Amino acid sequence: MELGISSFGEVNPDNKAGQAVNAHQRMQDLLEEIKLADEVGLDVFALGEHHRPDFIISAPEVILAAAAAQTKTIRLSSAVTVLSSADPVRTFQNFATLDLISNGRAEILAGRGSFTESFPLFGYDLSDYNELFTEKLNLLLAINESEKVTWSGKLRAPLKQAGIYPRPLQEKLPIWIAVGGTPASAVRAGRLNLPMTVAMLGGTPERFVPFINLYRESAAQAGHDVTKLQLAANSQFYIADDSQQASNEFWPPYELLMNRVGRERGWPPISREQYEQTRKYGPLMVGSPQQVIDKILHFHELFQNTRYLGQMIGGHLISHKQNLRSIELFGTKVAPAVRKALQSTSVETVTV
């Protein structure tokens, strides 16, 4: 199983037109975090696209290209690319360029986006939310398959034997689909035989099992080899040297983020008790190295996932030093133990 980190790049907004000091520092910190993740042996670092004052990443490809020059082996992905409000041609070109810079380490994680700021920003109608994603995903997949593309749709100008350049170093760019729990999304990913990433924010991990089964059943019904499907589980995470330290350090930024977003969406304020319950029984991956090891292995037992991505949050309420320590513990303590446990399980299965 691959182990990695995702980030939206939380930042304390500068609220000014220029001299964005906070944004500048957060960007430098983010690049250092990716560099450390590579050095401690993590497999993936993924950056999520947003167009808000509290998140710094509106152009994941640009930041990932900068990170590519400072890293050696870690795979570099979006998390997500809001494909519904992006141009698939330009998206492919950007990630193919990243692939060339990184010696073949680029990936696209495409989604519809849980935030909608990009739609009016780029001139799209929210009433076309679902149709935009379906149409643009089909075009992106066609571009990934062929150097020259003939395509037509309702919401974008057609292409006739259009050459899309540059081409990536990899035979094809890995294109994952990000989903949040909508059954139709799992069915689509399965039928298209695409890797799927499940974002888990609340509830219990067990409630996602039927959803993941639907993904695999849909792939099988479409004639695909289910044993080759790639599946990632994604949840918010933070690791400290002991459990109480992790809980205390992560609670302030978690409360700030969840209640800020919650006010926008009509959710009730989250309490410390709810947080602790989600940390203990839900998908929240916050604790000591051993707690995180146990929960990642529990996820794998439930889902048989091939990748786990821990979503790092923080911004100005958790220090850069603390985030670096969390990444260090993930790479040096958690990852080796998880890999060893899964390798032992695999050997036992083969032996039996």
Side-chain angles (χ1 to χ4, degrees):
M1 179 167 58
E2 293 179 319
L3 299 168
I5 293 172
S6 68
S7 175
F8 295 164
E10 285 86 354
V11 66
N12 186 22
D14 288 283
N15 295 319
K16 56 174 68 175
Q19 294 185 325
V21 176
N22 292 341
H24 172 259
Q25 186 58 57
R26 183 68 187 99
M27 187 66 73
Q28 304 312 307
D29 291 348
L30 183 58
L31 289 171
E32 188 177 356
E33 289 159 6
I34 301 173
K35 186 172 183 290
L36 178 61
D38 180 59
E39 291 171 347
V40 298
L42 293 176
D43 300 299
V44 189
F45 209 107
L47 301 180
E49 174 193 346
H50 291 85
H51 302 270
R52 301 164 51 94
D54 46 347
F55 298 129
I56 199 175
I57 304 165
S58 64
E61 310 95 312
V62 178
I63 305 170
L64 293 171
Q70 302 179 30
T71 56
K72 295 179 180 179
T73 61
I74 197 165
R75 297 197 64 80
L76 302 167
S77 175
S78 54
V80 301
T81 292
V82 185
L83 192 59
S84 305
S85 59
D87 183 79
V89 173
R90 197 61 174 147
T91 296
F92 181 86
Q93 290 175 325
N94 289 345
F95 278 91
T97 301
L98 170 62
D99 202 57
L100 298 176
I101 293 170
S102 65
N103 298 311
R105 293 184 279 136
E107 296 185 1
I108 300 173
L109 175 54
R112 293 181 295 179
S114 60
F115 293 89
T116 59
E117 290 85 359
S118 63
F119 288 81
L121 189 64
F122 298 119
Y124 291 99
D125 192 333
L126 269 173
S127 65
D128 296 325
Y129 183 78
N130 292 318
E131 192 172 5
L132 277 166
F133 182 74
T134 299
E135 186 171 291
K136 292 190 175 191
L137 177 61
N138 290 339
L139 176 53
L140 181 62
L141 294 175
I143 295 170
N144 202 32
E145 287 290 331
S146 178
E147 175 186 352
K148 294 187 177 181
V149 176
T150 296
W151 176 92
S152 63
K154 296 180 180 179
L155 301 169
R156 188 201 186 280
L159 298 172
K160 185 174 181 180
Q161 281 298 98
I164 313 298
Y165 307 105
R167 306 306 297 183
L169 179 62
Q170 298 177 84
E171 182 178 353
K172 296 176 186 177
L173 288 174
I175 298 175
W176 292 65
I177 299 298
V179 300
T182 305
S185 297
V187 170
R188 172 169 46 206
R191 287 178 178 169
L192 291 173
N193 199 31
L194 292 174
M196 185 175 79
T197 298
V198 183
M200 300 184 293
L201 289 177
T204 63
E206 286 77 8
R207 78 179 181 91
F208 288 93
V209 172
F211 180 78
I212 290 168
N213 288 342
L214 180 61
Y215 165 60
R216 293 191 170 113
E217 289 164 4
S218 300
Q221 290 169 4
H224 304 303
D225 185 350
V226 177
T227 64
K228 294 182 179 179
L229 286 177
Q230 297 181 70
L231 173 72
N234 176 272
S235 67
Q236 293 161 323
F237 103 115
Y238 181 74
I239 309 172
D241 291 283
D242 65 69
S243 179
Q244 194 59 52
Q245 178 189 354
S247 177
N248 291 340
E249 291 177 352
F250 193 73
W251 164 243
Y254 181 80
E255 179 189 29
L256 177 68
L257 174 65
M258 298 303 287
N259 285 339
R260 184 173 64 233
V261 174
R263 283 192 297 271
E264 298 173 6
R265 302 186 179 185
W267 301 343
I270 191 168
S271 68
R272 181 67 184 260
E273 182 180 4
Q274 289 172 309
Y275 162 73
E276 292 295 346
Q277 288 295 306
T278 306
R279 193 168 78 92
K280 186 173 183 180
Y281 300 110
L284 198 57
M285 192 78 67
V286 176
S288 66
Q290 189 58 55
Q291 285 177 307
V292 172
I293 291 165
D294 293 341
K295 185 169 277 193
I296 290 176
L297 292 174
H298 178 55
F299 282 6
H300 185 265
E301 183 180 4
L302 289 174
F303 310 138
Q304 294 300 298
N305 51 306
T306 59
R307 175 180 288 185
Y308 171 74
L309 287 178
Q311 184 187 332
M312 189 168 63
I313 70 172
H316 61 291
L317 289 184
I318 196 163
S319 72
H320 177 50
K321 182 178 179 181
Q322 288 170 321
N323 271 333
L324 290 177
R325 179 59 176 163
S326 182
I327 294 169
E328 180 185 6
L329 290 171
F330 194 13
T332 61
K333 302 291 185 182
V334 173
V338 168
R339 290 167 183 152
K340 183 178 180 180
L342 293 179
Q343 185 178 29
S344 298
T345 302
S346 178
V347 169
E348 289 173 7
T349 302
V350 172
T351 304
V352 171

